[in-house]
Amino acid sequence: METKRIDLPVDRKIVADLRVGDEVRLFGKIVTGRDAAHKFLVEQKPDFVRDFLKGTFIYHCGPVMRATPSGWEVVAAGPTTSIREEPYQAAVLEEYGLAGAIGKGGMGDKTLAGLVKTGTVYLHAVGGVATLLAQRMKRVVGVHMLEELGAPEAFWIIEVEDFPALVTMDSTGASLHKTIREKSDKAFAEIIS
Amino acid sequence: MAEDLLYQRFAEGAYQTILAASSRLPDDVTRALAAAHAREQEGPSRSALAFILENISLAREKSTPVCQDTGYPTFYVTLPARYDKARVKSALREQLAAATKDAVMRPNAVHSLTGKNSGNNTGELFPAVYFEECGGDRLEMKLLLKGGGSENVSAQYRLPHAPLKAGRDLEGVYRVVMHCVLEAQGFGCSPGVLGVAIGADRAQGYSLAKKQLLRGLDEKNTDPELARLEERILADSNRLGVGAMGFGGATTVLGVKAAAAHRHPASFFVTIAYGCWALRRKTMKFDGTGFEITD
């Protein structure tokens, strides 16, 4: 298994070469966005987000943040369940020129088709390892919609260093989640038969 | 005045319990995760477990949340008659708000109609506080912080369940619980812990199932039949191959804790409370002056 370094923003051509099972380490700016943010991106098509979303990853995460005299500090920031963004994800990736999404639990066929179409990937961060991931976040660059959406749902622009994730869905249409589901379905049928 | 001091001291203990629950994963859960890591083959599940173990130590060291989803806080308070429940409850709400301000807890209370986050982890039925009365003069409070992802994969089945060929017996219970684990895959942040309630009505079924998550992983069920059921579900869940985070692997479930209640003749519910690997629970014992916090 190979660990690949990805510097952000990244060209989609580089991302399209990533395959399920590749471990990646991200460097540069990523942007958090979860349920309300995805709905907002699809329904309102805001322009102010375009600059900071292009070529990076949208991270399904509602972080714990601390206000300090020198600005915001990330306290805990693991991934949230991605499947809730399934209705929106493919459209969001395409509309804003993202390199992909980061979350947990994987996503469905609609998103997978979107990854194939746009040459992007889905990265799985380890669920719950919030303090560890916060340590890999060096700086909060900015925040948008904090008042409207609340802290967990706002767009936080965060500079990361050595942020670990696993490619579980790629632009060839492969999905680790599908593979494991099929295997476990089979095992289940055998066990309870 | 003496009364004010009593609740002030209780509040101090409550704050420390919230902090400990959020940042210090219980030792038994940490040990079970370390054992899962040791037996996992090289691959994504093993790396995930390694990150999980590193994260647990970091959170403990820095007193920061183990997981950013600090959950739907649920307090179980057993108290002698001298305590005023309204004062206990308001102390808990105040301490929760304080812990949220200190970034120990994420603001998780969202108004269901307006979508507005209250910002301090309090709202209608939020947090959940359950009271039970006891004799003596010592108050005991258990706190469970259970995240939304794991709550979303919790499930309730009604037996008989024809598609799963699950009848109204322990075999039927086994089959639906196995199905719940299959459906949860990695969504609830596996490897998880299952709280299982057999019987009761729908509402108490969920409540009883969740309460099982407060039990120690190493503690054996005193009912031999339930102990056997727990062992069987644990062993067979780990043959599904879901693994940590659903990446494929040998450990899908860390523990199973089952309880049985009486049921209505017409109903047979089986309820599963899925607890993620970050099973955050603490107990505080308060004697009126000092407090002691344990896993």
Side-chain angles (χ1 to χ4, degrees), chain B residues 26 28-29 143-144 213-217 279-282 295:
Chain B
D28 58 332
V29 182
L143 168 61
L144 182 68
L213 297 176
L214 297 170
R215 287 167 47 195
L217 288 184
L279 182 63
R280 288 152 289 170
R281 55 166 144 75
K282 290 287 170 205
D295 286 349

Side-chain angles (χ1 to χ4, degrees), chain A residues 69-88:
Chain A
S70 55
W72 291 99
E73 185 196 346
V74 189
V75 178
T80 190
T81 305
S82 300
I83 197 70
R84 295 192 306 269
E85 319 320 337
E86 182 68 7
Y88 311 111

Side-chain angles (χ1 to χ4, degrees), chain B residues 109-156:
Chain B
V110 177
H111 192 285
S112 293
L113 303 183
T114 64
K116 189 87 185 146
N117 192 316
S118 74
N120 68 1
N121 264 315
T122 69
E124 198 61 43
L125 294 184
F126 202 114
V129 184
Y130 299 106
F131 289 108
E132 226 175 278
E133 274 154 27
C134 66
D137 53 11
R138 205 160 68 158
L139 178 153
E140 186 181 279
M141 180 183 84
K142 289 176 186 290
L143 168 61
L144 182 68
L145 299 178
K146 185 171 180 302
S150 71
E151 190 71 2
N152 286 347
V153 297
S154 293
Q156 190 165 66

Side-chain angles (χ1 to χ4, degrees), chain A residues 23 34 62 64 76 78-79 104-105 124 127-132 135 147 152 164 166 180-181 184-185 188 191-192, chain B residues 44 47 51 54-55 62 64-68 103 106-107 116 174-175 179 182-183 185 187 189 240 245-248 277:
Chain A
E23 291 219 26
R34 47 183 286 170
V64 176
K104 77 172 172 84
H124 199 300
V129 300
T131 286
L132 182 145
Q135 295 289 296
E147 189 51 40
L166 178 75
I180 299 297
R181 177 76 215 208
S184 54
D185 276 343
F188 177 75
I191 293 166
I192 75 156
Chain B
S47 323
F51 279 128
E54 190 188 338
N55 179 68
K62 299 172 67 69
T64 52
V66 169
C67 176
Q68 80 291 338
R106 183 178 73 180
K116 189 87 185 146
Y174 159 81
R175 293 174 86 91
H179 185 256
L182 175 74
E183 287 299 313
Q185 294 279 304
F187 295 123
C189 278
L240 289 173
M245 289 299 127
F247 291 166
W277 66 257

Side-chain angles (χ1 to χ4, degrees), chain B residues 166-189:
Chain B
R168 291 184 150 193
D169 49 26
L170 274 184
E171 181 63 24
V173 173
Y174 159 81
R175 293 174 86 91
V176 297
V177 177
M178 286 296 295
H179 185 256
C180 173
V181 178
L182 175 74
E183 287 299 313
Q185 294 279 304
F187 295 123
C189 278

